[in-house]
Amino acid sequence: MTQLAIDGGQPELKRTDYKNWPIITRDDRRLIKQVLDSGIVAGGTAPQVKALETEWAAYTGSKYCLTTCSGTAALHMALAACGVGPGDEVITAAFTFLASASCAIHQNAIPVFVDIDPRTYCMDPAKLEAAITERTKAIIPVDIQGMPSDKDPILQIAKKHKLFVIEDACQAHGALYKGKHVGTFGDIGCFSLNNFKNLCGGEGGLFITNDENLMKKAALVRCFGDEVDEVSHRRKYNASILGYMYRNQELPAALTRAQLMHLDKNNKVRIANANYLTRELRKIPGVIPPYCPPDCKHVYFMYNVRFDPKAAGVNCEPRRFRIAVEKALFKEGMLVGQWQTLPVPAQDLFQSKLGYGATGYPWSVNEAKGITYNYDPCQFPVAQSLCDTYTVVHGIHPPNRKALMQKIVGTFQKVFGNLDVALAHADDVIYPGGDAKLYGAS
Ligand SMILES: *Cc1c(COP(=O)(O)O)cnc(C)c1O
């Protein structure tokens, strides 16, 4: 019998089996050189920034695009453009990155969470209406890990209650719902350009809308709320609303444009890698690969698997089983480990409500009127159960291809063929996870 690496055997994978993301090509060098040669490094209407906005609007099929310094900035700008403010509630999914919720606090509004669908891990539309109150202003569905959220029922509910829909598509560049780009269904779509994401500018963000008023308002928010004279095109240095400094720059914009030339091709590799893994891993009892409905295009920003001890024929508590399997896989040299370890509402920020120091603000605005906000994780059992049982299989991005996927599958087979050994090492001091360098970070 093969000996698991966690038990002193030989690891199945080497770090050199993994190739890093993003892929830098001659297009990146060419466009970056263009910026350096031009001498223009910044400006709200600078050539790379303007070209990126035109190209992303065209790519997604939206009328307007504004580039920002981060995805978080784009989300905050979106809420500000929609006029969300103190006392308003903003609904998002319980399983997401913090920024989907903290953007509401940045606008002095109160995040409210909805549990997720157990198959897609996106906001469960069946649980959305129960979270709406007369204070709700906006819904932020999240296209989680590259999987489009269920747009139709969410939009229908939003329309009925006259709510803004801001799509957090920060993880889903190029993903389609019923043939149409995510980010174009609601009032505003937001994307991140950080180094991990399918479309990478180092850092940065993209904001899209079909609504001219929202675009104009967001443009104001992006640059201090400062009005620009319509005739001279000069800044008036007269802020008409509260704004921020959320502009992008020429170098990240140029990098993003070069990366955009390769987005579809790179997404195709992610999908092929993911489909291969799904086909093979679903044959292993106790491994649950991700699900994608037939009318959606999932772009696999991340590749999740869940573990089910019962299906694996093991009598073990699910969370402990995941930890044991994760450690054994990691010791085999696989880059594997959790991303979010908690549903977002379970994070300390929401448990302590220390948004702006010890004031309890912005929750206190409504709590003073007798309204209570309870972020008890028990309200999000699906998100909690996902967090107990999932892990991320890193390295499904290009230039990694089938050779690495085959090794990953072989490693799963090895560990699942020796579950008793893996479980015996469940308490070993091992910290599974990815490798920042894999994603162009240090
Ligand atoms: C990455 C991400 C963001 C924030 O993007 P930044 O560019 O890092 O600010 C927001 N929401 C989700 C779901 C993300 O994954």
Side-chain angles (χ1 to χ4, degrees), residues 70-72 75 96-97 99-100 142 168 170-171 192-194 197 204:
S70 73
T72 305
L75 285 164
T96 182
F97 177 63
S100 315
V142 186
D168 182 344
C170 284
Q171 303 189 345
S192 164
L193 300 174
N194 81 26
K197 304 291 162 75

Side-chain angles (χ1 to χ4, degrees), residues 12-19 273 276-277 333-335 393-397 399-411 438:
E12 290 292 300
L13 287 146
K14 300 182 295 293
R15 178 60 177 85
T16 48
D17 290 328
Y18 288 86
K19 295 191 181 75
N273 286 341
Y276 177 81
L277 287 181
M334 247 182 82
L335 294 176
V393 176
H394 292 275
I396 73 143
H397 54 76
N400 297 307
R401 286 179 186 272
K402 198 168 169 183
L404 176 61
M405 302 307 119
Q406 283 170 327
K407 287 191 182 181
I408 288 173
V409 170
T411 308
L438 190 65

Side-chain angles (χ1 to χ4, degrees), residues 101-175:
S102 59
C103 62
I105 304 176
H106 294 157
Q107 198 54 20
N108 301 325
I110 299 165
V112 170
F113 296 91
V114 170
D115 206 0
I116 55 166
D117 179 281
R119 293 228 284 174
T120 65
Y121 314 145
C122 293
M123 176 186 284
D124 186 346
K127 294 180 181 165
L128 173 55
E129 215 156 8
I132 295 172
T133 71
E134 71 247 18
R135 298 169 297 279
T136 309
K137 264 281 177 67
I139 305 169
I140 306 182
V142 186
D143 304 311
I144 201 76
Q145 300 178 320
M147 169 70 211
S149 61
D150 198 356
K151 313 290 178 191
D152 282 349
I154 293 171
L155 287 170
Q156 207 182 341
I157 292 165
K159 196 171 172 196
K160 179 174 155 195
H161 295 272
K162 300 193 169 62
L163 304 175
F164 288 104
V165 174
I166 296 159
E167 295 172 75
D168 182 344
C170 284
Q171 303 189 345
H173 317 72

Side-chain angles (χ1 to χ4, degrees), residues 283-296:
K283 297 174 189 163
I284 304 172
V287 180
I288 308 169
Y291 164 75
C292 177
D295 56 2
C296 288

Side-chain angles (χ1 to χ4, degrees), residues 141-315:
V142 186
D143 304 311
I144 201 76
Q145 300 178 320
M147 169 70 211
S149 61
D150 198 356
K151 313 290 178 191
D152 282 349
I154 293 171
L155 287 170
Q156 207 182 341
I157 292 165
K159 196 171 172 196
K160 179 174 155 195
H161 295 272
K162 300 193 169 62
L163 304 175
F164 288 104
V165 174
I166 296 159
E167 295 172 75
D168 182 344
C170 284
Q171 303 189 345
H173 317 72
L176 306 176
Y177 177 85
K178 300 187 179 174
K180 200 173 147 200
H181 275 276
V182 300
T184 62
F185 288 84
D187 300 281
I188 294 166
C190 299
F191 299 83
S192 164
L193 300 174
N194 81 26
N195 54 296
F196 298 97
K197 304 291 162 75
N198 288 30
L199 180 62
C200 166
E203 302 278 8
L206 293 161
F207 165 110
I208 57 173
T209 185
N210 286 329
D211 184 315
E212 191 182 359
N213 286 326
L214 289 177
M215 186 274 290
K216 283 186 172 163
K217 191 94 180 282
L220 269 182
V221 173
R222 180 171 70 168
C223 189
F224 304 98
D226 198 354
E227 294 280 352
V228 174
D229 188 273
E230 285 191 9
V231 181
S232 69
H233 299 291
R234 286 180 188 235
R235 271 170 72 179
K236 291 185 188 169
Y237 292 95
N238 176 25
S240 57
I241 57 167
L242 177 63
Y244 303 86
M245 209 316 264
Y246 285 164
R247 291 190 307 256
N248 203 342
Q249 321 166 47
E250 286 295 87
L251 286 166
L255 181 58
T256 308
R257 291 183 64 214
Q259 291 284 319
L260 177 55
M261 295 172 190
H262 301 269
L263 175 62
D264 284 339
K265 187 178 62 189
N266 287 333
N267 277 347
K268 222 169 159 175
V269 176
R270 284 176 189 269
I271 293 166
N273 286 341
N275 287 346
Y276 177 81
L277 287 181
T278 295
R279 238 180 359 255
E280 296 303 319
L281 294 179
R282 71 151 60 101
K283 297 174 189 163
I284 304 172
V287 180
I288 308 169
Y291 164 75
C292 177
D295 56 2
C296 288
K297 180 180 177 181
H298 191 321
V299 291
Y300 296 100
F301 165 58
M302 283 186 220
Y303 187 87
N304 250 9
V305 291
R306 295 180 77 174
F307 302 119
D308 177 358
K310 222 187 249 172
V314 171
N315 184 16

